[in-house]
């Protein structure tokens, strides 16, 4: 039983979901985690895991994030651990868009809420539920510091030549059009963990980090600071993703809308029906891998497009960095898909980038090298942990007062 406050409750509130995790930072251990899905629909689903025990409830009435929070608190009371035994030093909130205003995690105040509200046009699907999560958590834990941790913050170090799009001044100055980048919490955590795996100070290393999940992004990190990232104004740019295409010719918008497509249908197609889904019918990278193994032409093409795009970004960022110590794979596909890793970096021996076939397929959940010993550029797999990073950052903000 803990009496000193060493725990952070991490909250990730989406449009119809609420994810939570109780992390004890003294032991860097997750004590419980859970998910309320289908908020506002006809019967929500609650999953709560405490230790090895997983509890699920279906068809639970849940009209709002407030109801979802109440369900989570009930789950803690019923299935443990009792929150009273684990005093919170902070509640850490994932907030997707901090615009140019937030380059670091920040204590939640009325002023922060006003600024995040002003930023809603930049992230209309994400910032409103993130704000809702903050509002409810403040009501439930009025005496606990609340900290906002922004997906965009790690990328605020990107220099102007890399974040500026060559578009009209009014777009840039009046409408906020520029590269912001996302997945920053993961890129920050993984680049620090990669430097530790290399046994070198973060200040000494140049890294390309490849976060390959349902969403996917690459970042170039020098001395622990991000200097470029593949997601842009929105999370559509860059790598091929589950349902998003990544890089496109911007002329496509005019062409398709002149042909009669509405802006809403264009947006929906690029967010929900493109990427692996558009190429194969499935947004799941595992299905693509199975299709490649079975010799299916669509899957082989999709894998080829995905791996080639990753390779182009590795090359571009190695030049942007002016040198490269390691390529780092993370997130669902990056951590688990050896074939995708091998194909993405195939043929780069000339640049010192080699994937060792045995190390690549060796099963492991730990941070590991998949390049041969002594290779000029290390290739690493580093499991990401965005919740732990949010908890750590929230604790640092509280400690700093
Ligand atoms: P997110 O957090 O963005 O929703 P994840 O990081 O969980 O996503 O990654 C999801 C992706 O990882 C999916 O495309 C899934 O197919 C892929 N993935 C997960 N496990 C494996 C595996 N064993 N082999 C190949 N791909 C995998």
């Amino acid at each position: 039983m803990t009496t000193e406050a060493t725990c952070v409750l991490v909250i990730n509130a989406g449009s119809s979901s609420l994810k939570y995790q109780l992390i004890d930072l003294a032991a860097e251990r997750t004590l419980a985690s859970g998910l309320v899905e289908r908020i506002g629909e006809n019967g929500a689903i609650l999953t709560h895991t405490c230790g090895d025990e997983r509890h699920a409830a279906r068809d639970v009435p849940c009209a709002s994030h407030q109801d979802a929070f109440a369900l989570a608190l009930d789950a803690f009371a019923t299935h443990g651990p009792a929150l009273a035994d684990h005093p919170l030093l902070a509640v850490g909130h994932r907030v997707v868009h901090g615009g140019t205003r937030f380059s670091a995690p920040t204590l939640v105040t009325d002023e922060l809420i006003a600024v995040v509200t002003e930023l809603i046009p930049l992230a209309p699907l994400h910032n409103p539920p993130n704000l809702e999560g903050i509002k409810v958590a403040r009501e439930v834990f009025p005496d606990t510091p609340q900290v906002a941790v922004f997906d965009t913050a790690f990328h605020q170090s990107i220099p102007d030549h890399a974040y500026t799009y060559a578009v009209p001044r009014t777009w840039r100055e009046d409408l906020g059009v520029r590269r912001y980048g996302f997945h920053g919490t993961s890129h920050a955590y993984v680049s620090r963990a990669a430097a530790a795996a290399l046994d070198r100070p973060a200040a000494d290393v140049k890294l390309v980090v490849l976060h390959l999940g349902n969403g996917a992004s690459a970042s170039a990190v020098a001395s622990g600071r991000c200097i470029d990232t593949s997601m842009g104004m929105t999370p559509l740019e860059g790598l091929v993703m589950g349902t998003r295409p990544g890089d496109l010719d911007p002329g496509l918008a005019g062409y398709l809308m002149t042909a009669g497509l509405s802006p809403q249908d264009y947006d929906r197609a690029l967010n929900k029906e493109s990427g692996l889904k558009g190429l194969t019918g499935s947004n799941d990278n595992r299905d693509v891998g199975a299709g490649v193994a079975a010799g299916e032409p669509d899957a082989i093409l999709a894998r080829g497009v995905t791996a080639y795009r990753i390779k182009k970004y590795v090359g571009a960022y190695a030049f942007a960095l002016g040198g490269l110590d390691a390529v780092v794979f993370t997130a669902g596909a990056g951590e688990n898909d050896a074939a995708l890793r091998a194909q993405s970096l195939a043929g780069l021996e000339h640049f010192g980038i080699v994937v060792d076939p045995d190390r690549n397929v060796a099963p492991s959940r730990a941070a590991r090298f998949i390049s041969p010993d002594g290779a000029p550029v290390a290739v690493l797999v580093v499991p990401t942990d965005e919740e732990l990073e949010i908890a750590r950052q929230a604790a640092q903000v509280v400690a700093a007062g």
Side-chain angles (χ1 to χ4, degrees), residues 279-282 286-304:
L279 293 170
T280 67
S282 168
R286 279 167 290 208
D287 293 339
V288 177
V292 171
E296 288 168 17
D298 285 353
I300 292 169
L301 176 63
R303 181 51 64 86

Side-chain angles (χ1 to χ4, degrees), residues 183 211-215 276 283-286 331-333 336-337 386:
H183 291 148
H211 176 111
L212 310 178
N214 281 314
L276 299 180
N283 64 327
D284 192 319
N285 176 61
R286 279 167 290 208
N336 295 298
D337 195 331
E386 285 163 278

Side-chain angles (χ1 to χ4, degrees), residues 328-393:
V328 192
F329 287 92
T330 194
E335 290 167 31
N336 295 298
D337 195 331
L340 176 62
R341 294 192 295 256
Q343 190 168 337
S344 303
L345 300 184
L348 300 180
E349 297 79 6
H350 176 76
F351 300 100
I353 302 174
V354 178
V355 173
D356 178 279
D358 295 330
R359 286 186 174 180
N360 190 28
V361 297
S364 169
R365 297 239 148 259
R368 58 200 184 272
F369 286 71
I370 58 167
S371 47
D373 289 339
V377 177
V379 183
L380 302 173
V381 177
V382 175
T384 192
D385 194 337
E386 285 163 278
E387 284 77 15
L388 177 59
E389 180 68 15
I390 291 173
R392 283 177 179 166
Q393 292 194 10

Side-chain angles (χ1 to χ4, degrees), residues 21-22 66 87 103 113 135 145 150 209 216 228 250 316 325 337 347 358 365 371:
Q21 205 168 113
L22 179 66
Q66 198 162 14
S103 54
I113 289 175
K135 203 178 111 215
F150 298 92
V209 179
D228 204 352
D325 296 298
D337 195 331
D358 295 330
R365 297 239 148 259
S371 47

Side-chain angles (χ1 to χ4, degrees), residues 5 114 145 171 191 210 221 269 288 292 327 334 380:
W171 295 12
S191 49
L210 299 163
V221 180
V288 177
V292 171
V327 178
L380 302 173

Side-chain angles (χ1 to χ4, degrees), residues 167-360:
V167 294
R169 185 178 296 277
T170 51
W171 295 12
R172 290 182 281 119
E173 293 185 353
D174 303 336
L175 298 173
V177 170
R178 52 161 282 172
R179 176 182 311 287
Y180 292 99
F182 300 90
H183 291 148
T185 308
S186 175
H187 285 284
Y189 175 87
V190 167
S191 49
R192 207 170 338 99
L198 292 166
D199 200 18
R200 291 174 52 187
D204 285 354
V205 293
K206 293 178 172 177
L207 306 169
V208 174
V209 179
L210 299 163
H211 176 111
L212 310 178
N214 281 314
S217 63
S219 68
V221 180
S223 305
R225 288 165 65 81
C226 185
I227 65 149
D228 204 352
T229 196
S230 60
M231 282 181 166
M233 165 88 191
T234 73
L236 282 182
E237 196 180 345
L239 304 178
V240 176
M241 314 182 209
T243 59
R244 293 171 252 165
D247 294 338
L248 287 176
D249 178 349
L252 217 63
Y255 171 76
L256 290 168
M257 286 181 211
T258 305
L261 197 71
S262 71
Q264 293 75 16
D265 285 345
Y266 176 78
D267 204 49
R268 187 175 322 109
L270 292 186
N271 276 292
K272 307 260 184 223
E273 290 150 27
S274 298
L276 299 180
K277 178 129 193 262
L279 293 170
T280 67
S282 168
N283 64 327
D284 192 319
N285 176 61
R286 279 167 290 208
D287 293 339
V288 177
V292 171
E296 288 168 17
D298 285 353
I300 292 169
L301 176 63
R303 181 51 64 86
V305 175
T306 304
Y308 178 67
R309 187 79 53 81
I310 293 169
K311 182 180 288 179
K312 281 210 297 189
Y313 270 96
V314 171
Y317 286 173
F319 267 56
L321 288 162
L324 186 59
D325 296 298
V327 178
V328 192
F329 287 92
T330 194
E335 290 167 31
N336 295 298
D337 195 331
L340 176 62
R341 294 192 295 256
Q343 190 168 337
S344 303
L345 300 184
L348 300 180
E349 297 79 6
H350 176 76
F351 300 100
I353 302 174
V354 178
V355 173
D356 178 279
D358 295 330
R359 286 186 174 180
N360 190 28

